[in-house]
Amino acid sequence: MPHNGIDFGAGTGTPVYASAAGVVSSAGNAGPCGNMVEIDHGSCLTTNYCHLSRFAAGLHAGQHVEGRQLVGYVGATGRV
């Protein structure tokens, strides 16, 4: 299915870092997106990290994250 995102390829287990500071809107299973972390950066800007194999330890909705903070690990969950 087409979508408006950009998929980057990396080996399973490769660390995934937040692109900028923000607040975690959600962290969990998102159907076709698989394990997903959504971060709200304010000013109507969000980032989504999909298909993760697992999440960073302790990551949860409402948590503030900094840029380059670990949020999960590359995987192949959901519709890949």
Side-chain angles (χ1 to χ4, degrees), residues 2 4 15-16 23 32 40 49 64:
N4 293 324
V16 175
V23 176
D40 180 359
Y49 306 88
H64 179 80

Side-chain angles (χ1 to χ4, degrees), residues 21-51:
V23 176
V24 177
S25 301
S26 63
N29 186 285
C33 197
N35 291 333
M36 180 187 82
V37 173
E38 180 177 53
I39 300 175
D40 180 359
H41 303 284
S43 300
C44 298
L45 180 65
T46 61
T47 53
N48 294 305
Y49 306 88
C50 298
H51 311 298

Side-chain angles (χ1 to χ4, degrees), residues 54-79:
R54 61 189 172 106
F55 303 104
L59 189 76
H60 58 86
Q63 177 180 346
H64 179 80
V65 293
E66 296 296 329
R68 294 272 312 149
Q69 180 174 333
L70 181 68
V71 295
Y73 299 88
V74 171
T77 59
R79 194 179 300 146

